[in-house]
Amino acid sequence: MMKRDFGVFHVALKVLLRKGNEVLFLRTSDVGRLDLPGGRIDNIEMQTPLEKIIAREIGEEIGPTVKYKLSKPVFQFRRYVPARKIYNFLTVYEAVFLSGRIRLSSEHTSYHWINPSVSRLSVKDFYNKEEYSALMRYFKTHA
């Protein structure tokens, strides 16, 4: 039996970027799942304000010209990363898209502005059930 201890996670920050009734989803290049823009906190960012880390990730993943108005954290979930053999603990912030041209990094193959009240998203579109459930709970209360 494994001795109980504290869980060890990588921490990631994601952005639920809204444009009207639509939300920006990215298609991952590894397994083709839907993802939100954002990513892990780097080892040199332990004292960096979270908003600056989010800005770096947004610039890297969807381009440096994208402007947005960041709001508050709205939900969290966990995601296992087999290549690193560790879980990510992800916090998702709301934001409103203001302007800019989306230019994807190599981590994603495409992007889609999706209206969640019209589109039929399913658990298989995402990495796991916890992630899908967190998004669906959010969309139910923020339609």
Side-chain angles (χ1 to χ4, degrees), residues 29-142:
S29 56
D30 57 356
V31 291
R33 300 278 198 259
L34 290 179
D35 196 11
L36 297 171
R40 285 185 292 259
I41 296 174
D42 289 346
N43 63 343
I44 61 169
E45 295 176 314
M46 299 304 185
Q47 301 290 320
T48 304
L50 298 178
E51 296 80 10
K52 287 190 177 199
I53 297 168
I54 290 169
R56 174 187 60 76
E57 282 290 344
I58 292 296
E60 287 174 7
E61 292 201 352
I62 61 174
T65 66
V66 172
K67 304 288 182 234
Y68 57 93
K69 181 175 175 25
L70 190 66
S71 187
K72 63 189 183 309
V74 287
F75 61 89
Q76 297 173 311
F77 60 92
R78 295 164 292 193
R79 180 192 291 167
Y80 186 68
V81 182
R84 295 183 180 260
K85 295 184 170 96
I86 195 164
Y87 278 89
N88 284 344
F89 186 84
L90 300 97
T91 297
V92 178
Y93 285 75
E94 264 184 326
V96 174
F97 177 83
L98 300 176
S99 65
R101 188 173 140 264
I102 294 176
R103 196 178 76 219
L104 297 176
S105 73
S106 61
E107 295 177 31
H108 301 97
T109 58
S110 61
Y111 70 91
H112 312 274
W113 288 100
I114 295 174
N115 182 336
S117 63
V118 175
S119 296
R120 296 188 74 60
L121 298 171
S122 76
V123 68
K124 68 181 188 305
D125 292 319
F126 299 92
Y127 281 93
N128 64 54
K129 186 177 179 184
E130 182 177 44
E131 182 173 347
Y132 171 76
S133 296
L135 279 158
M136 293 306 106
R137 276 192 307 277
Y138 171 85
F139 292 140
K140 270 186 187 170
T141 59
H142 295 81

